[in-house]
Amino acid sequence: MERVRLFVVVASILVMCVARSVGGEEVADTLSACDFPAIYNFGDSNSDTGGISAAFYPMASPCGETFFHRPAGRGCDGRLMIDFIDGVSPFSLDIQIAQYQQLKSRTTSLYNRAKKQPRRFPRVDDFSKALYTFDIGQNDVAAGIRKMSDEQFQAQIPDIINQLATAIRNLYDQGARTFWIHNTGPIGCLAVTLHYLHNPSPDYVDRRGCVKFQNDMARQFNRALKQKVFQLRKELPLAAITHVNVFAAKYKLLSNAKKHGFLDKTKICCGYHEDNNHVYCGNKGIINGTQVYAGSCEDPSLYISWDGVHYTEAANHWIANQLISGSFSDPPLPITIHAIGFNLCSSFHICNSFLAYKLTRN
């Protein structure tokens, strides 16, 4: 099952409805402060803010150089999509759910012990007001590509999706009500694949130069995920479940990289990849008898790919801007009115505008 990272933003980090901009372009107008006391994220390394770093080994330079100016647990140069809107992580989904349950069960005790500084811990009632995001799938698809035939992978998809659905039902039974479900991106467009692809046959790549069969496997996974989201809406009538087509948003960027101010999608910012010699981001290697340090490019903001697999902060921010508009969501509503559209404001006193939040520390 997809390895995921539970990202808990407790009440000590203020969640604000703030306007974000890239290159001076505002994504939305500031309205008012939101009342989401926490965001609980279950995701792979595309949204992992420190799972590997905390459990096994810290991220090394040059990761984090763009925003944090130091390694900050993320497998790219700065912030992730979740840092704007709402490495493989060492913990599977069932373990993450267990961690969440443990946190929730201890909350009352922790909160009562912290009466002098109660905002440092989530209140019991805050769990029903929190936002629960899921950003998974890429590792499952990648494993399918490496180890399985198309038929074998198709047979595995229902089990993977059902495990996700079980996790959502579990959270719902514990009071969770607001869910964002991201599908997986176009893995056949990742630079780690395309960088080594030379003169492919016309039937191997699509019209944008991405590997067809890999993207087809991602689409199969995404179709099953979307169907499950529709089913869960019927099963969980009090939940607000939004399906977000991250595949389409990322494919839009990758298909027209230069149009959107980036270099070609095959370019990798961090790492040494020349003449079939490869030293991966932040590592040292010996090339023709000489030690080579695989550092970052001069300007990461021009690149879509940070290390061949993970997106740069600039690319993550561009994608986040697209998602905020609601044009890639089902239902197709801007984030600013999702809460009202689902009648959550009256139920949980959640404001009608939640655009982004800023992490001021790890």
Side-chain angles (χ1 to χ4, degrees):
M1 179 55 189
E2 177 80 25
R3 293 186 177 275
V4 295
R5 165 67 181 164
L6 174 60
F7 170 40
V8 182
V9 184
V10 294
S12 60
I13 297 178
L14 184 61
V15 182
M16 297 293 290
C17 300
V18 297
R20 308 294 277 177
S21 63
V22 180
E25 180 182 355
E26 295 291 333
V27 299
D29 293 330
T30 300
L31 293 180
S32 59
C34 286
D35 193 26
F36 279 110
I39 297 176
Y40 298 91
N41 179 69
F42 302 79
D44 57 28
S45 56
N46 290 302
S47 58
D48 175 15
T49 60
I52 294 178
S53 184
F56 296 124
Y57 52 85
M59 287 294 173
S61 295
C63 286
E65 65 178 22
T66 294
F67 181 77
F68 301 98
H69 308 300
R70 59 185 173 82
R74 295 156 177 79
C76 75
D77 61 310
R79 291 166 289 181
L80 309 172
M81 283 195 300
I82 189 170
D83 290 323
F84 293 110
I85 32 175
D86 14 61
V88 177
S89 179
F91 305 118
S92 61
L93 181 57
D94 55 347
I95 292 176
Q96 290 300 303
I97 294 296
Q99 291 176 331
Y100 168 84
Q101 290 171 329
Q102 226 178 46
L103 172 68
K104 192 169 184 288
S105 67
R106 295 172 59 198
T107 291
T108 301
S109 173
L110 290 172
Y111 185 74
N112 290 337
R113 286 162 52 190
K115 289 181 178 179
K116 293 183 179 180
Q117 293 178 305
R119 294 298 290 173
R120 295 185 61 186
F121 297 99
R123 301 181 181 93
V124 174
D125 292 343
D126 286 345
F127 287 95
S128 63
K129 302 174 185 177
L131 178 63
Y132 295 80
T133 62
F134 286 78
D135 190 322
I136 70 170
Q138 182 167 306
N139 296 328
D140 291 305
V141 176
I145 290 171
R146 292 195 309 269
K147 302 177 181 179
M148 304 176 190
S149 66
D150 184 66
E151 292 76 16
Q152 290 173 325
F153 180 66
Q154 286 188 51
Q156 291 296 315
I157 289 177
D159 181 59
I160 297 169
I161 300 298
N162 284 334
Q163 289 186 54
L164 170 62
T166 297
I168 293 173
R169 293 187 190 101
N170 190 324
L171 294 171
Y172 180 86
D173 289 342
Q174 297 182 62
R177 291 295 180 264
T178 310
F179 298 90
W180 282 358
I181 313 298
H182 292 190
N183 67 11
T184 196
I187 193 170
C189 299
L190 291 178
V192 69
T193 299
L194 303 183
H195 190 78
Y196 313 124
L197 192 62
H198 303 291
N199 301 315
S201 60
D203 60 344
Y204 190 77
V205 296
D206 64 18
R207 62 190 183 92
R208 299 298 185 182
C210 299
V211 178
K212 282 183 180 179
F213 86 93
Q214 293 186 2
N215 278 352
D216 285 344
M217 292 180 79
R219 289 187 178 99
Q220 291 174 36
F221 178 91
N222 288 341
R223 281 194 293 270
L225 177 63
K226 189 171 185 178
Q227 291 173 358
K228 184 60 67 173
V229 167
F230 291 163
Q231 178 184 332
L232 287 171
R233 285 177 182 163
K234 296 178 181 178
E235 291 181 24
L236 314 176
L238 298 180
I241 307 177
T242 299
H243 174 269
V244 184
N245 193 348
V246 172
F247 183 105
K250 288 183 175 179
Y251 193 76
K252 177 181 177 181
L253 173 60
L254 292 160
S255 298
N256 298 282
K258 294 180 181 179
K259 175 184 175 182
H260 299 300
F262 293 90
L263 298 175
D264 187 85
K265 61 180 174 294
T266 63
K267 303 296 183 182
I268 299 173
C269 175
C270 187
Y272 180 93
H273 306 283
E274 296 181 14
D275 301 324
N276 291 319
N277 294 310
H278 310 293
V279 182
Y280 291 92
C281 181
N283 292 300
K284 295 178 181 179
I286 304 297
I287 306 296
N288 298 325
T290 303
Q291 186 179 75
V292 172
Y293 171 67
S296 65
C297 56
E298 183 175 348
D299 187 357
S301 69
L302 297 177
Y303 289 73
I304 291 176
S305 182
W306 169 244
D307 58 4
V309 175
H310 304 98
Y311 290 70
T312 61
E313 172 176 303
N316 283 327
H317 205 161
W318 188 96
I319 296 163
N321 284 355
Q322 303 298 304
L323 302 184
I324 284 171
S325 71
S327 59
F328 292 96
S329 296
D330 184 311
L333 299 172
I335 290 176
T336 51
I337 62 173
H338 269 190
I340 280 186
F342 284 117
N343 262 339
L344 289 180
C345 280
S346 59
S347 299
F348 301 130
H349 308 292
I350 296 174
C351 74
N352 68 328
S353 171
F354 47 105
L355 304 179
Y357 62 88
K358 179 178 180 181
L359 295 180
T360 57
R361 58 189 178 191
N362 285 7

